[in-house]
Amino acid sequence: EGRIRGELNYATALFGRATVERYWDYFLRALAAMAADDTRLVRRVPWLSAAERERVLVEWTATDPPYPREQTNADLFEQQVERTPEALAASAGDERASYRDLNVRANRLAHRLLALGVRAGDCVAIALERSIELIVAELAVLKAGAAYVPLDAVLPGARQAFIVTDSKAKLVLTEAAGGRRAGLRPEACLLALG
């Protein structure tokens, strides 16, 4: 009778009604666009409504940061330390660290980095497993005004060494055994929190 009928069945254990209705709207919008212009390429078919397109392209991708641009991440961390010094800031396994503890440890390492010649704009590679020491190392590098270059332990040693050389890293913060496994020069390695 000049129309197409269809029905949609879905597993309620996997999908919520609102999600399925949204997908159904996408499908109907695509069918209507194709029926209106059968020469249109499928990749040019509009799936989203104007409101949803606005939400995805404008609202969800707003790039204005909600923090002052003149402050660094290290500054923002210090402000949090002042607000909640004893609050739990990080945990790894059984180890816990408050904001004050992280700050004290990061400051100590930052001073050591500065004493070793790290300056603003330098790169410092960090080859540590996920741990509180990793957070301390990252904060310390930022507090020293440098940028950190993460080194993934699963990368082959030659690849890690290339990243260190290519980034012109001034130092590598690592555990001594980890640095040797990665094939990094011993004189370029610093036992991160030793």
Side-chain angles (χ1 to χ4, degrees), residues 127-129 131 133 173-181 189-192:
L128 293 170
E129 299 291 328
S131 61
E133 287 76 20
L173 294 177
T174 186
E175 295 173 315
R180 283 194 295 276
R181 273 197 310 275
C189 296
L190 172 69
L191 182 58

Side-chain angles (χ1 to χ4, degrees), residues 85-185:
E86 299 308 320
L88 178 65
S91 65
D94 294 334
E95 189 178 4
R96 307 276 183 269
S98 69
Y99 280 98
R100 176 181 289 141
D101 181 44
L102 279 183
N103 197 44
V104 167
R105 292 164 68 180
N107 284 341
R108 187 178 317 127
L109 183 56
H111 287 293
R112 189 165 177 201
L113 293 173
L114 291 169
L116 289 167
V118 172
R119 297 293 173 254
D122 285 343
C123 288
V124 174
I126 300 177
L128 293 170
E129 299 291 328
R130 288 183 181 197
S131 61
I132 290 179
E133 287 76 20
L134 174 62
I135 296 168
V136 169
E138 291 170 346
L139 280 169
V141 171
L142 294 175
K143 285 173 174 270
Y148 64 85
V149 178
L151 288 178
D152 193 335
V154 299
L155 291 175
R159 178 68 181 148
Q160 290 185 29
F162 171 79
I163 292 170
V164 170
T165 303
D166 189 56
S167 68
K168 298 178 179 65
K170 188 102 175 194
L171 290 171
V172 177
L173 294 177
T174 186
E175 295 173 315
R180 283 194 295 276
R181 273 197 310 275
L184 302 171
R185 298 183 324 276

